[in-house]
Amino acid sequence: MRVAVVDIGTNSTRLLIADVDAGRETVHELVRRSEVTRLGAGVDAEGRLSRDACERVYARLEEYAAAIAEYRCDANLAVLTSAVRDAANGREFADTVRERFHLDARVLRGEEEAELTFLGAMSGRASDERPTVVIDIGGGSTEFIIGIPGGAGFHTSLPVGVVRMSERHIHTDPPSAGELEELALDVRGVLADGLPAREREGASHAIAVAGTATSAASIDQQLDPYDPDRVHGYVLTLQTVDALRARLAALDEAGRRAVVGLNPDRAPTIVAGMIVLREAMLAFGLDRVEVSEHDILYGGALRLAGV
């Protein structure tokens, strides 16, 4: 079955077109694209999606809709997450996506987002019965899903996304030590309140998906151009995450844009992302995390195919 999945997130808009074998639960990528569109810019403070942010997303969706038509997809799905859930005009935005671009647009509840992310992250993996936490750091929220192959158990969506945290705490360039500490304390408090101790203690393995984790793996390997095959499965240690956080926080935005392995459009939010990743690893007592290219796009593709 040929499917298309569009992920309209707080920070980026992404497309996957793939052939899916439901029986084998495999996803063969045909097209994969990602652009930083910052739909959620200002939502934490204003409570609404801005006109400029919506237009940035619409411009990408014009291109994605053309690709979906070209590849003659059997079904499509557009998943709308934290920024649209939180915005007063989120329903209006979703209606426009549905009607203007002929996409099956769905505003996912936090638990639905978690389930699709876990399904995608666990796809194509060798049998492993270790309790695994999947960490999905987004622009507006971070999802934590704990389970084993075959299904998730605990899942939660917490408001510690990279756009939200950057706008709330970082006001100088480069960020001051005080701003970085306030951001880390904010994240730490949210995780302490939202992640029960028994769940944190039960997870012995971690998979990190989405832009912060894949960027960290790319920077650490100095990948230019980006190579998803070298990013997928890459292991980041806590020591590496600490070093990357310190290195990136010492640079101004122009300096971060020049870092080999980092998409320049992620320069404004990558410092917050590294702090969220570090605090997530500490919350679970983990000294390493496996990076995965398989995320909610894969989960959506599998779900469309009936998995």
Side-chain angles (χ1 to χ4, degrees):
M1 184 177 183
R2 180 162 295 178
V3 302
V5 183
V6 179
D7 173 23
I8 303 175
T10 301
N11 199 40
S12 61
T13 302
R14 304 184 302 145
L15 168 69
L16 172 68
I17 297 175
D19 289 332
V20 182
D21 184 328
R24 297 181 179 180
E25 298 188 9
T26 57
V27 178
H28 174 64
E29 291 188 17
L30 300 173
V31 176
R32 186 157 181 164
R33 290 186 54 184
S34 177
E35 279 85 24
V36 174
T37 46
R38 291 178 62 81
L39 177 64
V43 168
D44 189 52
E46 303 296 331
R48 296 180 60 84
L49 303 172
S50 73
R51 179 177 298 179
D52 287 348
C54 292
E55 290 300 330
R56 288 194 295 270
V57 174
Y58 296 154
R60 297 285 77 76
L61 294 182
E62 291 278 7
E63 299 170 5
Y64 292 1
I68 292 168
E70 178 185 350
Y71 277 83
R72 301 179 181 275
C73 296
D74 300 309
N76 72 65
L77 171 66
V79 294
L80 289 69
T81 54
S82 176
V84 182
R85 283 199 302 267
D86 295 344
N89 56 342
R91 179 172 294 183
E92 176 185 340
F93 174 82
D95 289 343
T96 300
V97 170
R98 191 176 298 112
E99 295 163 9
R100 182 171 165 184
F101 303 103
H102 308 292
L103 293 169
D104 182 8
R106 305 182 194 176
V107 182
L108 299 185
R109 300 189 307 276
E111 55 267 31
E112 293 174 316
E113 184 176 354
E115 289 167 6
L116 287 182
T117 298
F118 191 81
L119 177 62
M122 300 303 284
S123 67
R125 299 180 60 81
S127 180
D128 186 345
E129 294 302 315
R130 290 179 296 175
T132 295
V133 55
V134 175
I135 304 167
D136 179 6
I137 301 172
S141 63
T142 295
E143 277 62 54
F144 295 89
I145 315 101
I146 302 172
I148 59 175
F154 174 83
H155 50 77
T156 189
S157 178
L158 301 177
V160 288
V162 300
V163 174
R164 188 188 301 272
M165 290 293 103
S166 297
E167 291 182 348
R168 186 175 295 176
H169 295 287
I170 297 179
H171 308 295
T172 60
D173 187 26
S176 69
E179 289 172 342
L180 297 175
E181 182 60 24
E182 287 178 5
L183 197 161
L185 287 172
D186 190 358
V187 173
R188 198 173 305 155
V190 173
L191 299 190
D193 291 341
L195 296 171
R198 68 178 183 277
E199 301 293 351
R200 286 186 274 122
E201 293 166 358
S204 59
H205 178 236
I207 299 173
V209 301
T212 290
T214 58
S215 294
S218 180
I219 296 167
D220 196 42
Q221 297 177 85
Q222 297 185 308
L223 299 181
D224 186 17
Y226 184 86
D227 185 348
D229 291 333
R230 291 182 62 183
V231 167
H232 185 66
Y234 191 74
V235 174
L236 290 167
T237 65
L238 183 60
Q239 183 178 12
T240 297
V241 172
D242 271 334
L244 289 174
R245 179 198 57 81
R247 174 189 169 195
L248 293 165
L251 300 172
D252 61 13
E253 184 177 324
R256 293 193 297 274
R257 286 182 177 274
V259 169
V260 176
L262 178 64
N263 179 338
D265 290 338
R266 293 194 178 275
T269 58
I270 189 62
V271 173
M274 297 308 301
I275 292 173
V276 173
L277 179 58
R278 178 180 186 273
E279 292 298 328
M281 294 174 71
L282 290 173
F284 283 90
L286 298 166
D287 64 358
R288 64 191 58 234
V289 62
E290 178 186 343
V291 179
S292 177
E293 283 276 332
H294 298 178
D295 53 22
I296 196 169
L297 288 173
Y298 267 57
L302 290 164
R303 186 59 50 84
L304 278 175
V307 174

